Amino acid sequence: MLDAFIAAAFPSVRFCRVRDIDELIFRIKESEIVVGKAGRVFYLGQELRLIRLSLVPGGFQVDPQRGRPDRRAMSFTVNELLSGEVGVAMDQAWLFARRVTYPCEGNFSWGLTWGGQHDQKRGRI
């Protein structure tokens, strides 16, 4: 039902729900690998407040995207993160992330065929 609400509120954007700490870590690393930028933006709670979570030694760095005048990043251990708003949002199924897409520039294409060979005829890499 919550997925249906998000899909109705944002029809052009696909969201994925984050249910536990393992999935949270996976989503952060997924974004860092694909996009090449530290951390990932998550939508927190029913008001869909934006926060950026990054992995740091010993835990997480939380950078509020809006709502705090000083907008300073704070560091939390795993237990501190789970006992706060992020943990509550995961328990109540209100922590979301946008689906990661690869940022394509120009006509860049991987150009691999099903056999794993480069497609030289079409000028692709």
Side-chain angles (χ1 to χ4, degrees), residues 80-91:
E80 291 171 341
L81 187 77
L82 293 177
S83 64
E85 290 181 71
V86 174
V88 171
M90 277 193 287
D91 289 342

Side-chain angles (χ1 to χ4, degrees), residues 8-44:
F10 302 98
S12 64
V13 179
R14 297 191 186 270
F15 286 84
C16 51
R17 184 181 306 156
V18 179
R19 295 179 175 94
D20 59 21
I21 190 70
D22 292 329
E23 188 172 359
L24 179 68
I25 292 170
F26 171 79
R27 297 292 177 195
I28 293 170
K29 289 181 179 180
E30 172 191 42
S31 177
E32 289 176 347
I33 290 169
V34 174
V35 178
K37 187 175 179 183
R40 185 171 187 167
V41 173
F42 290 88
Y43 297 83
L44 180 68

